[in-house]
Amino acid sequence: MKQFFNYTLTLLLASLLVAPAADAQQFTKRKQYNSVGVTLTAMNYFGDITPKPSIPSLRFGATRPNLGVTFTHRFTPRISGRGGLSYGRITGSDAKAADQNDADAKFRYNRNMNFRNDIAELSAVAIFDLIPNRNNYIKRPDLVPYLFAGLAGYAGNPKGLDNNDNYVALQPLKTEGKDYNRAGIAIPFGAGARYKLNKSFDLGFEIGFRKTFNDYLDDVSDKYVANRSSLTSTAAQYFGWDITGGAGAGLDGTWNENNQSGYQRGKNNEDDWYVQAGFTLNYILAPRVKSPKFR
């Protein structure tokens, strides 16, 4: 995934640098325009509670919807800037993702963790169209593939399902004995394509990855707390101390309260990612054309 991340950003940067300067000179302000959009996407994540303890690995059954709104300004025939606000959910469950018959997955199956995290995101990205539009918005191409990358801020709140089927916020419980931020910075990047429906509307499909710098989107990263007494009674009810009628899972897959503390809880050792894939309906705000003044 790191190679894919580096390759995509390098390709986008190279595209921006080689875009002819003449394009910007020919694309006067009279041809620039804005658009607003609504997005409906499917959302998933890469992390510790996935079918495989590596990136990329995701469970399609954990996919949840994401809704958003966007505002886009076209600067040149190829380059646009887009701001977006979205809200969606990522989920994970060892009971559904890990195969108890797979030797590699048995640790995670016995771990029996689950989470959900509702994430709000505010993003700003640069879009590079592979097919330029040197005309006004009315004469734009019918189909335009594009690449994008930028910066985003996100905020979430990972929660776990307890034995009473209630979701409880996990960060305050310090299930690994650590404090971590529920909000952070992500790098969104990806690709998509827009199709011209008519003079005013475009329909787009896009897949976008979010590289975070946080391994706790799922509240799982490192080891169980070294001392069980340091956990509150509330925290002990979740994630690893009192699940499926046992006290804890050791690395050998057995249940023994004495082999839990200080043992590995997460096996990913990678920051978590989330991904969105879906559709955007854009409405173009027709620019106002000023009539020449005569004296």
Side-chain angles (χ1 to χ4, degrees), residues 12 18 27-28 41 67 92 96 130 140 207 237 244 259 275:
L12 180 62
V18 302
F27 202 72
T28 63
T41 64
L67 298 174
K96 298 177 180 179
L130 301 183
R140 66 191 186 279
I207 180 168
Q237 185 178 359
T244 66
N259 65 10
V275 58

Side-chain angles (χ1 to χ4, degrees), residues 198-267:
N198 56 34
K199 180 181 71 173
S200 300
F201 285 94
D202 285 340
L203 180 64
F205 179 82
E206 180 177 292
I207 180 168
F209 299 87
R210 269 66 174 172
K211 166 68 174 73
T212 76
F213 302 91
N214 181 3
D215 195 18
Y216 282 98
L217 292 184
D218 49 18
D219 192 67
V220 180
S221 176
D222 194 8
K223 297 179 180 180
Y224 291 97
V225 288
N227 183 3
R228 181 175 180 176
S229 63
S230 66
L231 279 176
T232 66
S233 59
T234 303
Q237 185 178 359
Y238 308 101
F239 278 20
W241 292 114
D242 188 20
I243 52 179
T244 66
L251 292 179
D252 59 358
T254 61
W255 293 93
N256 187 325
E257 64 179 359
N258 296 319
N259 65 10
Q260 180 85 348
S261 61
Y263 272 65
Q264 197 71 29
R265 185 165 182 262
K267 296 185 66 175

Side-chain angles (χ1 to χ4, degrees), residues 8 12 21 36 42 56 92 114 119 124 127 144 162 170 210-211 235 246 257:
T8 303
L12 180 62
V36 293
N114 66 80
I119 294 178
I127 300 172
V144 179
D162 68 9
L170 297 168
R210 269 66 174 172
K211 166 68 174 73
E257 64 179 359

